[in-house]
Amino acid sequence: EAGVTQFPSHSVIEKGQTVTLRCDPISGHDNLYWYRRVMGKEIKFLLHFVKESKQDESGMPNNRFLAERTGGTYSTLKVQPAELEDSGVYFCASSPNADTQYFGPGTRLTVL
Amino acid sequence: GENVEQHPSTLSVQEGDSAVIKCTYSDSASNYFPWYKQELGKRPQLIIDIRSNVGEKKDQRIAVTLNKTAKHFSLHITETQPEDSAVYFCAGVIGSGNTGKLIFGQGTTLQVKP
């Protein structure tokens, strides 16, 4: 069974540009989560999808971040416009039961 | 607010010794506590978890204990090996209704010296 995959693995952009991160969950997992780890700190929750619906987006930093999960399969997280403080590693995780979560390898975002 | 505190932030042990990492949580409604291991440049990997109706769980060299009254849980690694070197994160599921929102501790960098 394939694990959670994320694309790209690394992204370097300039302040003000737009970046879109993609996450493909484990097949059949209705629950999909986005997390972020900034500068070696703890991993922080961003939001949670159940199928295509946003269950909890309380961790989204501001309206420059937009997450979608059209069709309830893969998800995208768009940052527009990117700021310096958005740099970090963005993780996606999926779960069959809103409990045990399996993480992807992450996307390292660097905003210059 | 909801939070999970993890200690120590760094831990260095000699190969063969035991390592203990401790976490406390604030939300008494939390009922699921996973531990993740993240090796350099790799994804966080679930290594063990415990639910609130269990006090202790063991898997080979790894064990986790939970004290619901005191709201703390610990990871115990026995007979440590160099490949145990990694960053370890504790987490708790916060909130009700199985939302699955994980609140992570700050992480512990474990170094096992050969």
Side-chain angles (χ1 to χ4, degrees), chain A residues 3-5 31 33 35 37 40-45 48 55-56 58 91 97-105, chain B residues 31-32 34 36 38 41-46 49 51 87 89 93 97-107 109:
Chain A
V4 177
T5 58
N31 296 275
Y33 306 83
Y35 293 88
R37 189 179 187 206
K41 295 187 177 179
E42 71 268 30
I43 300 170
K44 283 198 170 181
F45 169 84
H48 170 204
Q55 181 78 10
D56 181 353
S58 60
F91 290 104
N97 54 14
D99 197 339
T100 306
Q101 297 182 25
Y102 302 92
F103 278 72
Chain B
N31 57 13
Y32 174 67
Y36 287 86
Q38 187 180 19
K42 296 189 177 180
R43 72 186 69 202
Q45 199 91 22
L46 178 68
D49 55 16
R51 298 179 192 280
V87 180
F89 292 96
V93 170
N98 281 334
T99 62
K101 175 182 177 179
L102 286 175
I103 303 297
F104 283 88
Q106 296 84 348
T109 300

